[in-house]
Amino acid sequence: MYYYKIRHYLMKILLREVFSVDEIRKQFLADLAAAKSPQEVEEVRIKYLGRKGLITLLAKNTDFSQLSPDQKRDFGKQLNELKGLATEKLAEAASAAKSGQTAKKGPDLDLTLPGTGHSLGSLHPITLVQMELEDIFEGMGFMVLVGPDVETEHYNFDALNIPGDHPARDMQDTFWLTNGMLMKTHTSANQVRTLEKFGAPLRAIFPGRCFRYEAMDPSHETTFYQCEGLVVDRDISVANLIATMKALLGEIFHRDATVRLRPGFFPFVEPGFELDLQCLLCGGKGCSTCGDGWIELIPCGLVHPRVLEFGGIDTSKYSGFAFGLGLTRLAMMKYGVQDIRRFNSGDIRFCSQFPAAV
Ligand code: DAH
């Protein structure tokens, strides 16, 4: 008891006479500046604003009866300001120490590690080949056009010299809609539309998706892509056709492709050909993709006069050639894909092997 009395008395003298408000403020700010962790900030709070803290005791132990009214007012004001300052600064320091601690602590944050980045995705191999073909043909002055997937019977068959009773229709069965339209079986369906729209002379390609009734196997799919080409001008001959095809294949495969031309029948060309490419997967030896070493790649021919007439072209002035490139087959050759079913599989492991740009 005695001890506490003395302590209390000493404290009273000390606080009033030794520690002025200014000194406590100075010391408080210095202590706070040195406190880095939340624990250290808390210790400063206890030292100054705790129940027995210096600021608390300074207020408690001052004998106001000894002060003049002016001194009371001044001292009270200074004391309140000091308390306010201390409370504010402590709160700021506490939150700074806390966030500093989280940043320091952050166990998984290593700023020196390379970022994870975002994948750009990749283009489908058919898109890649299509973009490349478009570039090549645009370089030769061709327009790039698109036709609809849902076609009329007229453009898909009749206008191509394939009337309803023609046996050629059997080879191109497809999905028929209830309104009499159909999913186009070949990109040739866009030939007469294009002739009607642009007239002659004309140079155009139309890449697109085709649909057919097929028994699926490594080289047959119900949904596949073709790229049709159509050239109509004066004095067009088979020589123009062959020269264009050779230029095209040289550009695509970056080497001289070996080709052969066989007679082929298509009602909308006369004469018609099958341009075969020596298989680039097996080098012509024969494999599960090509069979006998040759891939049927480009059916083609000189446009039948009846097709030109359907398109409103004067056949006494103009002739033309057409070709229907198997875009899907070409992608198989170019990227060494051995099974056509991979293209529509939606398998991300397949697609992600291809680049995001040509
Ligand atoms: N449209 C034909 C098919 O899909 C391919 C074809 C053959 C297109 C000869 C042509 C051509 O332009 O001249 O089987």
Side-chain angles (χ1 to χ4, degrees):
M1 190 63 191
Y2 180 68
Y3 164 79
Y4 280 111
K5 268 204 168 144
I6 297 202
R7 185 175 179 267
H8 183 77
Y9 178 74
L10 278 175
M11 204 61 165
K12 217 168 174 172
I13 297 176
L14 269 175
L15 285 172
R16 197 151 15 118
E17 308 201 341
V18 181
F19 294 118
S20 69
V21 171
D22 274 348
E23 273 169 313
I24 293 186
R25 184 193 296 114
K26 246 192 238 163
Q27 202 185 320
F28 164 75
L29 291 173
D31 282 352
L32 196 60
K36 296 286 175 238
S37 69
Q39 293 89 322
E40 286 164 354
V41 173
E42 177 60 7
E43 277 163 23
V44 175
R45 191 193 68 76
I46 294 169
K47 180 174 174 187
Y48 289 89
L49 292 179
R51 212 158 45 85
K52 288 182 185 160
L54 290 176
I55 296 176
T56 317
L57 290 180
L58 185 63
K60 227 192 241 174
N61 296 336
T62 299
D63 189 351
F64 282 86
S65 64
Q66 303 288 315
L67 302 176
S68 72
D70 278 354
Q71 282 177 321
K72 270 189 213 167
R73 201 183 346 99
D74 282 355
F75 184 71
K77 197 176 157 210
Q78 283 183 28
L79 203 63
N80 279 339
E81 278 173 3
L82 178 59
K83 251 192 192 169
L85 174 92
T87 315
E88 192 183 311
K89 294 275 176 206
L90 277 164
E92 280 172 16
S95 77
K98 213 170 157 193
S99 60
Q101 199 182 42
T102 347
K104 257 183 274 154
K105 200 176 87 203
D108 303 328
L109 189 64
D110 180 351
L111 297 176
T112 63
L113 285 175
T116 44
H118 290 285
S119 162
L120 271 182
S122 45
L123 291 174
H124 193 279
I126 297 206
T127 307
L128 287 167
V129 173
Q130 181 178 328
M131 285 164 74
E132 200 179 344
L133 281 181
E134 288 178 6
D135 264 5
I136 296 170
F137 279 110
E138 274 173 349
M140 294 197 273
F142 283 62
M143 293 187 282
V144 179
L145 306 172
V146 271
D149 283 345
V150 176
E151 251 311 351
T152 61
E153 190 177 350
H154 173 74
Y155 286 120
N156 196 85
F157 291 124
D158 298 276
L160 290 173
N161 208 18
I162 314 175
D165 57 356
H166 197 290
R169 284 209 183 193
D170 297 345
M171 292 158 62
Q172 298 196 10
D173 199 2
T174 182
F175 305 101
W176 288 81
L177 310 186
T178 46
N179 65 2
M181 293 178 83
L182 54 105
M183 304 303 289
K184 73 168 186 281
T185 60
H186 50 182
T187 43
S188 310
N190 211 26
Q191 283 196 15
V192 172
R193 271 176 194 287
T194 306
L195 292 174
E196 283 172 349
K197 189 159 178 202
F198 294 98
L202 173 94
R203 255 181 264 184
I205 56 163
F206 356 110
R209 188 155 47 157
C210 307
F211 308 84
R212 272 190 218 177
Y213 175 77
E214 289 283 0
M216 283 166 65
D217 64 24
S219 52
H220 292 91
E221 245 282 18
T222 56
T223 306
F224 56 95
Y225 286 76
Q226 290 184 335
C227 179
E228 190 84 5
L230 179 64
V231 172
V232 178
D233 212 327
R234 288 175 191 270
D235 303 323
I236 291 292
S237 73
V238 177
N240 299 113
L241 167 63
I242 294 173
T244 310
M245 296 299 96
K246 283 212 137 209
L248 166 70
L249 292 172
E251 286 272 347
I252 294 175
F253 294 112
H254 307 294
R255 57 183 135 150
D256 261 350
T258 312
V259 295
R260 74 178 183 192
L261 213 57
R262 289 178 290 125
F265 174 74
F266 305 96
F268 39 93
V269 280
E270 183 56 41
F273 308 102
E274 287 285 3
L275 189 139
D276 299 340
L277 171 69
Q278 193 174 64
C279 180
L280 297 174
L281 296 180
C282 65
K285 286 192 216 97
C287 65
S288 67
T289 307
C290 63
D292 65 349
W294 292 92
I295 299 269
E296 258 183 54
L297 195 61
I298 317 185
C300 50
L302 296 188
V303 184
H304 197 288
R306 289 203 60 188
V307 176
L308 292 175
E309 276 158 18
F310 268 116
I313 304 296
D314 182 349
T315 49
S316 67
K317 285 192 190 145
Y318 293 104
S319 55
F321 69 80
F323 56 91
L325 213 127
L327 205 57
T328 304
R329 291 254 166 98
L330 200 59
M332 289 175 81
M333 287 287 101
K334 191 161 164 89
Y335 295 112
V337 180
Q338 308 207 348
D339 193 327
I340 194 171
R341 292 168 293 191
R342 297 246 181 281
F343 290 105
N344 295 341
S345 66
D347 188 339
I348 215 88
R349 292 169 306 176
F350 171 69
C351 290
S352 58
Q353 299 173 67
F354 298 96
V358 189

mmCIF file of all heavy atoms in Angstrom, residues 119-125 128 342 345-356:
data_model
loop_
_atom_site.group_PDB
_atom_site.id
_atom_site.type_symbol
_atom_site.label_atom_id
_atom_site.label_comp_id
_atom_site.label_asym_id
_atom_site.label_seq_id
_atom_site.Cartn_x
_atom_site.Cartn_y
_atom_site.Cartn_z
ATOM 1 N N SER A 119 -3.637 -18.220 -72.779
ATOM 2 C CA SER A 119 -3.480 -18.923 -74.041
ATOM 3 C C SER A 119 -4.280 -18.207 -75.120
ATOM 4 O O SER A 119 -5.391 -17.753 -74.878
ATOM 5 C CB SER A 119 -3.996 -20.347 -73.879
ATOM 6 O OG SER A 119 -4.242 -20.883 -75.152
ATOM 7 N N LEU A 120 -3.691 -18.098 -76.300
ATOM 8 C CA LEU A 120 -4.395 -17.459 -77.420
ATOM 9 C C LEU A 120 -5.344 -18.447 -78.075
ATOM 10 O O LEU A 120 -6.111 -18.106 -78.942
ATOM 11 C CB LEU A 120 -3.378 -17.030 -78.478
ATOM 12 C CG LEU A 120 -2.775 -15.652 -78.360
ATOM 13 C CD1 LEU A 120 -1.830 -15.410 -79.519
ATOM 14 C CD2 LEU A 120 -3.871 -14.591 -78.358
ATOM 15 N N GLY A 121 -5.268 -19.690 -77.667
ATOM 16 C CA GLY A 121 -6.047 -20.718 -78.355
ATOM 17 C C GLY A 121 -5.335 -21.055 -79.657
ATOM 18 O O GLY A 121 -4.208 -20.628 -79.890
ATOM 19 N N SER A 122 -5.962 -21.856 -80.493
ATOM 20 C CA SER A 122 -5.331 -22.147 -81.776
ATOM 21 C C SER A 122 -6.410 -22.227 -82.844
ATOM 22 O O SER A 122 -7.579 -22.405 -82.533
ATOM 23 C CB SER A 122 -4.550 -23.468 -81.684
ATOM 24 O OG SER A 122 -5.333 -24.439 -81.038
ATOM 25 N N LEU A 123 -5.994 -22.071 -84.065
ATOM 26 C CA LEU A 123 -6.960 -22.137 -85.167
ATOM 27 C C LEU A 123 -7.135 -23.587 -85.587
ATOM 28 O O LEU A 123 -6.196 -24.385 -85.550
ATOM 29 C CB LEU A 123 -6.467 -21.290 -86.332
ATOM 30 C CG LEU A 123 -6.481 -19.781 -86.085
ATOM 31 C CD1 LEU A 123 -5.827 -19.046 -87.239
ATOM 32 C CD2 LEU A 123 -7.918 -19.288 -85.908
ATOM 33 N N HIS A 124 -8.336 -23.903 -85.989
ATOM 34 C CA HIS A 124 -8.610 -25.250 -86.468
ATOM 35 C C HIS A 124 -7.810 -25.479 -87.754
ATOM 36 O O HIS A 124 -7.669 -24.568 -88.563
ATOM 37 C CB HIS A 124 -10.114 -25.382 -86.736
ATOM 38 C CG HIS A 124 -10.548 -26.798 -86.927
ATOM 39 N ND1 HIS A 124 -10.391 -27.450 -88.127
ATOM 40 C CD2 HIS A 124 -11.124 -27.684 -86.088
ATOM 41 C CE1 HIS A 124 -10.865 -28.681 -88.005
ATOM 42 N NE2 HIS A 124 -11.305 -28.844 -86.772
ATOM 43 N N PRO A 125 -7.259 -26.686 -87.925
ATOM 44 C CA PRO A 125 -6.427 -26.916 -89.123
ATOM 45 C C PRO A 125 -7.162 -26.601 -90.432
ATOM 46 O O PRO A 125 -6.546 -26.140 -91.389
ATOM 47 C CB PRO A 125 -6.074 -28.401 -89.035
ATOM 48 C CG PRO A 125 -6.913 -28.967 -87.938
ATOM 49 C CD PRO A 125 -7.262 -27.841 -87.035
ATOM 50 N N LEU A 128 -6.951 -22.952 -90.895
ATOM 51 C CA LEU A 128 -5.600 -22.574 -91.319
ATOM 52 C C LEU A 128 -5.413 -22.793 -92.814
ATOM 53 O O LEU A 128 -4.906 -21.928 -93.531
ATOM 54 C CB LEU A 128 -4.560 -23.404 -90.545
ATOM 55 C CG LEU A 128 -4.371 -23.033 -89.078
ATOM 56 C CD1 LEU A 128 -3.564 -24.104 -88.358
ATOM 57 C CD2 LEU A 128 -3.676 -21.685 -88.945
ATOM 58 N N ARG A 342 -11.044 -36.912 -86.769
ATOM 59 C CA ARG A 342 -10.444 -36.027 -85.766
ATOM 60 C C ARG A 342 -10.949 -34.585 -85.917
ATOM 61 O O ARG A 342 -11.094 -33.867 -84.940
ATOM 62 C CB ARG A 342 -8.926 -35.977 -85.934
ATOM 63 C CG ARG A 342 -8.242 -37.282 -85.710
ATOM 64 C CD ARG A 342 -7.352 -37.235 -84.485
ATOM 65 N NE ARG A 342 -6.679 -38.495 -84.311
ATOM 66 C CZ ARG A 342 -7.238 -39.581 -83.783
ATOM 67 N NH1 ARG A 342 -8.490 -39.524 -83.365
ATOM 68 N NH2 ARG A 342 -6.582 -40.700 -83.673
ATOM 69 N N SER A 345 -14.078 -33.852 -84.070
ATOM 70 C CA SER A 345 -14.188 -34.549 -82.796
ATOM 71 C C SER A 345 -14.342 -33.585 -81.629
ATOM 72 O O SER A 345 -14.802 -33.959 -80.567
ATOM 73 C CB SER A 345 -12.943 -35.406 -82.563
ATOM 74 O OG SER A 345 -11.824 -34.550 -82.407
ATOM 75 N N GLY A 346 -13.932 -32.337 -81.831
ATOM 76 C CA GLY A 346 -13.978 -31.367 -80.730
ATOM 77 C C GLY A 346 -12.944 -31.701 -79.668
ATOM 78 O O GLY A 346 -13.016 -31.196 -78.552
ATOM 79 N N ASP A 347 -11.984 -32.533 -80.010
ATOM 80 C CA ASP A 347 -10.962 -32.923 -79.033
ATOM 81 C C ASP A 347 -9.903 -31.821 -78.956
ATOM 82 O O ASP A 347 -9.166 -31.572 -79.904
ATOM 83 C CB ASP A 347 -10.323 -34.257 -79.471
ATOM 84 C CG ASP A 347 -9.395 -34.811 -78.417
ATOM 85 O OD1 ASP A 347 -8.930 -34.040 -77.546
ATOM 86 O OD2 ASP A 347 -9.132 -36.031 -78.457
ATOM 87 N N ILE A 348 -9.855 -31.191 -77.793
ATOM 88 C CA ILE A 348 -8.969 -30.040 -77.613
ATOM 89 C C ILE A 348 -7.503 -30.439 -77.760
ATOM 90 O O ILE A 348 -6.668 -29.662 -78.194
ATOM 91 C CB ILE A 348 -9.266 -29.373 -76.245
ATOM 92 C CG1 ILE A 348 -9.102 -27.875 -76.339
ATOM 93 C CG2 ILE A 348 -8.458 -29.929 -75.115
ATOM 94 C CD1 ILE A 348 -10.364 -27.200 -76.764
ATOM 95 N N ARG A 349 -7.190 -31.706 -77.459
ATOM 96 C CA ARG A 349 -5.793 -32.151 -77.587
ATOM 97 C C ARG A 349 -5.362 -32.159 -79.051
ATOM 98 O O ARG A 349 -4.210 -31.950 -79.386
ATOM 99 C CB ARG A 349 -5.621 -33.551 -77.002
ATOM 100 C CG ARG A 349 -5.793 -33.606 -75.504
ATOM 101 C CD ARG A 349 -5.877 -35.035 -75.041
ATOM 102 N NE ARG A 349 -6.914 -35.760 -75.768
ATOM 103 C CZ ARG A 349 -7.157 -37.051 -75.631
ATOM 104 N NH1 ARG A 349 -6.433 -37.773 -74.821
ATOM 105 N NH2 ARG A 349 -8.128 -37.627 -76.317
ATOM 106 N N PHE A 350 -6.336 -32.418 -79.928
ATOM 107 C CA PHE A 350 -6.053 -32.394 -81.366
ATOM 108 C C PHE A 350 -5.861 -30.950 -81.837
ATOM 109 O O PHE A 350 -4.845 -30.601 -82.428
ATOM 110 C CB PHE A 350 -7.210 -33.055 -82.123
ATOM 111 C CG PHE A 350 -7.138 -32.910 -83.616
ATOM 112 C CD1 PHE A 350 -6.165 -33.572 -84.350
ATOM 113 C CD2 PHE A 350 -8.043 -32.107 -84.293
ATOM 114 C CE1 PHE A 350 -6.095 -33.437 -85.732
ATOM 115 C CE2 PHE A 350 -7.986 -31.967 -85.673
ATOM 116 C CZ PHE A 350 -7.005 -32.630 -86.398
ATOM 117 N N CYS A 351 -6.850 -30.120 -81.517
ATOM 118 C CA CYS A 351 -6.841 -28.735 -82.025
ATOM 119 C C CYS A 351 -5.670 -27.923 -81.490
ATOM 120 O O CYS A 351 -5.111 -27.098 -82.200
ATOM 121 C CB CYS A 351 -8.150 -28.039 -81.694
ATOM 122 S SG CYS A 351 -9.506 -28.713 -82.647
ATOM 123 N N SER A 352 -5.319 -28.173 -80.212
ATOM 124 C CA SER A 352 -4.308 -27.289 -79.620
ATOM 125 C C SER A 352 -2.905 -27.541 -80.175
ATOM 126 O O SER A 352 -1.969 -26.835 -79.827
ATOM 127 C CB SER A 352 -4.312 -27.434 -78.098
ATOM 128 O OG SER A 352 -4.075 -28.769 -77.763
ATOM 129 N N GLN A 353 -2.754 -28.526 -81.054
ATOM 130 C CA GLN A 353 -1.437 -28.738 -81.647
ATOM 131 C C GLN A 353 -1.158 -27.753 -82.779
ATOM 132 O O GLN A 353 -0.050 -27.671 -83.281
ATOM 133 C CB GLN A 353 -1.357 -30.142 -82.253
ATOM 134 C CG GLN A 353 -1.544 -31.252 -81.263
ATOM 135 C CD GLN A 353 -1.625 -32.578 -81.980
ATOM 136 O OE1 GLN A 353 -0.646 -33.029 -82.568
ATOM 137 N NE2 GLN A 353 -2.784 -33.199 -81.954
ATOM 138 N N PHE A 354 -2.210 -27.025 -83.178
ATOM 139 C CA PHE A 354 -2.043 -26.153 -84.336
ATOM 140 C C PHE A 354 -1.828 -24.706 -83.883
ATOM 141 O O PHE A 354 -2.250 -24.320 -82.789
ATOM 142 C CB PHE A 354 -3.277 -26.280 -85.243
ATOM 143 C CG PHE A 354 -3.431 -27.686 -85.752
ATOM 144 C CD1 PHE A 354 -4.271 -28.569 -85.106
ATOM 145 C CD2 PHE A 354 -2.675 -28.128 -86.826
ATOM 146 C CE1 PHE A 354 -4.378 -29.876 -85.529
ATOM 147 C CE2 PHE A 354 -2.783 -29.435 -87.257
ATOM 148 C CZ PHE A 354 -3.648 -30.315 -86.605
ATOM 149 N N PRO A 355 -1.186 -23.924 -84.745
ATOM 150 C CA PRO A 355 -0.878 -22.551 -84.319
ATOM 151 C C PRO A 355 -2.099 -21.650 -84.251
ATOM 152 O O PRO A 355 -3.172 -22.005 -84.735
ATOM 153 C CB PRO A 355 0.087 -22.074 -85.419
ATOM 154 C CG PRO A 355 -0.149 -22.964 -86.573
ATOM 155 C CD PRO A 355 -0.638 -24.264 -86.045
ATOM 156 N N ALA A 356 -1.905 -20.471 -83.637
ATOM 157 C CA ALA A 356 -3.019 -19.519 -83.496
ATOM 158 C C ALA A 356 -3.096 -18.605 -84.722
ATOM 159 O O ALA A 356 -4.027 -17.850 -84.873
ATOM 160 C CB ALA A 356 -2.828 -18.686 -82.238
#
